[in-house]
Amino acid sequence: MNLQLSHFTAALLFAIFASIVFGITQRNTSREQVRYGLYCLAMFIGGVFVAGWVMWLLRR
Amino acid sequence: MANSVKAKTAEATVPVVQTSMSVIAPAIAWLIPGAGHLIQRRWIRGLLLMFSIVTMFVLGLLMQGRVYHPNGGDILDILGFVGDVGAGGLYLLTRVMDWGQGAIAHATADYGTKYLIVAGLLNLICVADAYHIAIGKKS
């Protein structure tokens, strides 16, 4: 089986899984873990969009 | 600022309790992602970690990612191997079954290789976390 994801889907899945692990391992309480996980997810996804726009500007 | 310094000082003064669990939990955590938390009764955390790491590793294989071997050649290959081997049992299973031999023929295969490496590295973080729970440094 050969799975071919788009660049965005691959980055999104990567962000979700990494954020779950970061949230659980880097904070103590459940509330802090959820908040940090969401923060990491937002940073990952934000980074994807920023990198996308930077590449678009470089290509022009 | 002062609060964070106080919190760090308090964290540093927590007595470290070395038990058999402090050896078993990291070992099990390396072999089976998330299991280090499960044997310490952190059921939800353990299952979430297991789901995340195993899914990431399997997606990497399905994307025809490359699994690195301990060849000792190129430095990047060695680093890739260190990342891959962090996945523990998943890496051993992959080697035994001879999976992950895909030639990188398209962009997603390269993503697959990165997924495999990062799954291993995330598992190493879980190993450290399981150890911290076992010694009482983390709840």
Side-chain angles (χ1 to χ4, degrees), chain A residues 2-3 5-8 11 13 15-16 20-21 25-26 35-36 39 42 46-47 52 59:
Chain A
N2 184 4
L3 181 69
L5 302 175
S6 69
H7 294 264
F8 183 72
L13 288 172
I16 291 169
I20 291 172
V21 176
T25 57
Q26 304 301 311
R35 286 185 64 174
Y36 189 66
Y39 171 77
R59 192 166 174 266

Side-chain angles (χ1 to χ4, degrees), chain A residues 2 5-6 9-10 17 19-20 24 27 29-30 34 42 44 46-47 49-53 56-57 59:
Chain A
N2 184 4
L5 302 175
S6 69
T9 310
F17 296 132
S19 299
I20 291 172
I24 292 173
R27 291 293 182 272
T29 65
S30 301
V34 171
F44 273 126
F49 280 103
V50 170
W53 279 109
W56 180 79
L57 287 171
R59 192 166 174 266

Side-chain angles (χ1 to χ4, degrees), chain A residues 1-30 33, chain B residues 11 37 44-45 48-49 51-53 55-56 59 61-64 106-108 111 114-115 118 122-123 125-126 129 137-139:
Chain A
M1 185 178 167
N2 184 4
L3 181 69
Q4 291 211 32
L5 302 175
S6 69
H7 294 264
F8 183 72
T9 310
L12 191 66
L13 288 172
F14 183 99
I16 291 169
F17 296 132
S19 299
I20 291 172
V21 176
F22 285 169
I24 292 173
T25 57
Q26 304 301 311
R27 291 293 182 272
N28 278 318
T29 65
S30 301
Q33 288 172 355
Chain B
E11 195 174 275
H37 289 71
I44 296 174
R45 291 186 207 179
L48 278 171
L49 292 174
F51 170 76
S52 300
I53 293 169
T55 307
M56 203 164 182
L59 283 176
L61 286 177
L62 291 178
M63 284 190 268
Q64 310 293 312
H106 43 85
T108 51
Y111 280 138
K114 301 301 178 282
Y115 266 53
V118 173
L122 290 175
N123 194 38
I125 296 175
C126 295
D129 195 53
K137 197 174 175 184
K138 187 179 176 187
S139 58

Side-chain angles (χ1 to χ4, degrees), chain B residues 80-108:
Chain B
F81 169 70
V82 170
D84 280 354
V85 87
L90 294 173
Y91 177 76
L92 298 176
L93 179 68
T94 304
R95 290 296 306 278
V96 168
M97 300 302 288
D98 208 25
W99 293 332
Q101 303 297 324
I104 297 176
H106 43 85
T108 51

Side-chain angles (χ1 to χ4, degrees), chain B residues 17-28 36 39-40 130-131 134-135:
Chain B
V17 183
Q18 295 285 355
T19 60
S20 58
M21 188 57 84
S22 63
V23 177
I24 294 169
I28 295 286
I39 61 167
Q40 297 182 86
Y131 174 73
I135 62 173

